[in-house]
Amino acid sequence: MATKVTVPKPTLSTLDACALIVGMVIGAGIFQTPALVATNTESASVALFAWILGGVMSLIGAMSYAELTTAYPDAGGTYYYLIRAFGKIPAFLFAWARLSVTQTGSIALLAFVFGDYFTQLLPLGEYSSAIYAGLAVICLTSLNIIGVQQGKWTQNVLTAAKVIGLLLVIIVGIVSATTVSTNNPTTSAPETQLGRAMIFVLLTYGGWNEAAYISAEVRDGKRNMVRVLLGSIAIITAIYLLINFAYLRGLGLGGLAASKAPAADLMRSSLGENGARFVSILVGVSALGAANATIFTGARTNYALGRDFPIFSWLGRWQERGSTPINALVVQGAIALALVFYGAFTRKGFETMVDYTAPVFWFFFLLSGVALFVLRQREPDVPRPFRVPLYPLIPLLFCGICGYLLYSSLTYAGAGARLGVVVLLTGIPLLLLNRQRSI
């Protein structure tokens, strides 16, 4: 008797899916990364072009990823595709990377966004941003260990704070800002480093790979998935262009490049200190909400790692009281806190965390693109509700983009990128040790 396979039911409308994708992608990064993009571009037009290019690249990647998610609907996501296409070794390294590099690096990165903006409210000295970031990691991890769960209304408030902050910055930048030549002269970078700029741009567009998991639940997915992807990424691109236009109009390229907290600086230049304080609170709260969600989901994937690999079995313990994976949370929090200290040491906390996570992130994204080709060839009879249009051109472009960003993140990034790669490679002896324990 054949086993019945349970698959996601198509219950989402096109509008539902677009709203989910837009909500997941637009995060706290847009309040920080535009300054780093401006630092690596020689003119405002090149900076805006980078954001348009990011939208196009994201669309290409989303279409490629959507085929994998509809053909292989599984809670393991990328881990499942890698183990199916390449076996346990790449899948183990991916899971290890989430624990030690990408997920923990994202937590530290979001904590630094919170720190940079709350420093605008109450400076705590030379390492003010890092102090706030460390406190955020400790407090949020502790809350999750205790089992305190954020209610739906709290998440809605955090989302509303993010939206209000974006709208205020856009309106103030476009309507209130006048000339920037007097107070904020534009000083361009000596040359455009588009590869490095795109690392920050695509970090800000990041999230569509998680959002693509809903593709199996979209009604009439074969016809509507392209509409969902086109529509949602077009909306995101338009929002990003508007806010960057506001930054550039209000601060100038040089002022934006020099800013640690662009939204606060823009509000300060137009509305004074009260405007800067207000938007700093909104951005800080939004960053805390994103960090809390990342801590919550990251601990669950680390718990799954403990269940699947004996060497990490101690991570796979669930505390009944509070219903939390306490060991996974403690280890994840400790690694994130260590990364905050590292960011403080480099004095470029947010930028250092981008460097730390980028090469590993793009390496596994590249493997995901290759997995699409491998699984098409190896398992041609698997039903694919959504097929990438213009195959194999679109997946080849996706792999090319990932390869280019992997190269750029290693070429242009600093010591943080090399550290991320070294930490990933430490997973190899751990894998060998795991094999010995499994014998």
Side-chain angles (χ1 to χ4, degrees), residues 169 172-173 177 246-247 249-251 261-271:
V169 171
V172 169
Y247 285 144
R249 180 176 169 82
L251 300 174
D265 287 343
L266 176 58
M267 296 294 283
R268 181 180 292 107
S269 67
S270 300
L271 300 179

Side-chain angles (χ1 to χ4, degrees), residues 38-340:
T39 302
N40 291 281
T41 50
E42 62 184 5
S43 67
S45 58
V46 174
L48 291 174
F49 171 74
W51 290 97
I52 296 173
L53 187 59
V56 174
M57 288 180 169
S58 297
L59 177 61
I60 291 171
M63 286 191 292
S64 301
Y65 218 76
E67 177 171 326
L68 289 169
T69 60
T70 53
Y72 304 98
D74 187 274
T78 301
Y79 174 84
Y80 182 70
Y81 315 143
L82 294 179
I83 202 169
R84 197 161 180 130
F86 306 114
K88 285 190 173 183
I89 294 178
F92 173 87
L93 290 176
F94 172 76
W96 165 247
R98 281 181 67 86
L99 170 64
S100 60
V101 182
T102 55
Q103 200 79 358
T104 43
S106 295
I107 293 167
L109 181 151
L110 289 163
F112 273 115
V113 175
F114 167 74
D116 285 343
Y117 275 87
F118 261 66
T119 294
Q120 302 290 312
L121 299 171
L122 182 62
L124 299 177
E126 184 179 1
Y127 295 100
S128 178
S129 180
I131 292 171
Y132 277 120
L135 289 173
V137 171
I138 293 170
C139 291
L140 292 175
T141 300
S142 298
L143 285 174
N144 278 276
I145 289 173
I146 294 169
V148 175
Q149 300 298 324
Q150 299 286 350
K152 182 177 180 180
W153 66 270
T154 305
Q155 293 302 325
N156 289 341
V157 169
L158 294 173
T159 301
K162 175 174 60 182
V163 172
I164 292 170
L166 280 169
L167 289 176
L168 279 174
V169 171
I170 291 171
I171 292 170
V172 169
I174 293 176
V175 176
S176 301
T178 53
T179 180
V180 298
S181 59
T182 302
N183 298 322
N184 296 292
T186 299
T187 56
S188 62
E191 62 176 321
T192 293
Q193 295 182 336
L194 190 58
R196 181 157 176 78
M198 292 310 300
I199 294 172
F200 301 114
V201 168
L202 290 172
L203 167 76
T204 317
Y205 275 98
W208 58 257
N209 55 307
E210 303 289 337
Y213 283 52
I214 67 172
S215 57
E217 300 174 65
V218 176
R219 295 174 195 155
D220 194 7
K222 288 184 179 180
R223 183 169 61 91
N224 287 331
M225 199 59 212
V226 172
R227 295 179 182 177
V228 169
L229 293 168
L230 281 171
S232 59
I233 293 180
I235 292 169
I236 294 162
T237 304
I239 291 171
Y240 285 174
L241 284 173
L242 281 172
I243 196 167
N244 276 277
F245 179 73
Y247 285 144
L248 290 165
R249 180 176 169 82
L251 300 174
L253 185 68
L256 177 56
S259 177
K260 289 287 187 181
D265 287 343
L266 176 58
M267 296 294 283
R268 181 180 292 107
S269 67
S270 300
L271 300 179
E273 286 299 326
N274 287 334
R277 291 190 188 98
F278 183 63
V279 80
S280 292
I281 292 172
L282 290 177
V283 176
V285 169
S286 176
L288 280 181
N292 184 66
T294 306
I295 288 170
F296 183 91
T297 57
R300 269 70 186 166
T301 58
N302 298 334
Y303 163 77
L305 174 66
R307 288 188 311 173
D308 291 348
F309 296 95
I311 192 174
F312 290 116
S313 59
W314 47 279
L315 287 176
R317 296 173 187 169
W318 196 274
Q319 179 177 265
E320 188 173 346
R321 182 183 177 185
S323 188
T324 56
I326 185 168
N327 288 353
L329 281 164
V330 170
V331 172
Q332 176 181 262
I335 295 173
L337 194 59
L339 291 176
V340 168

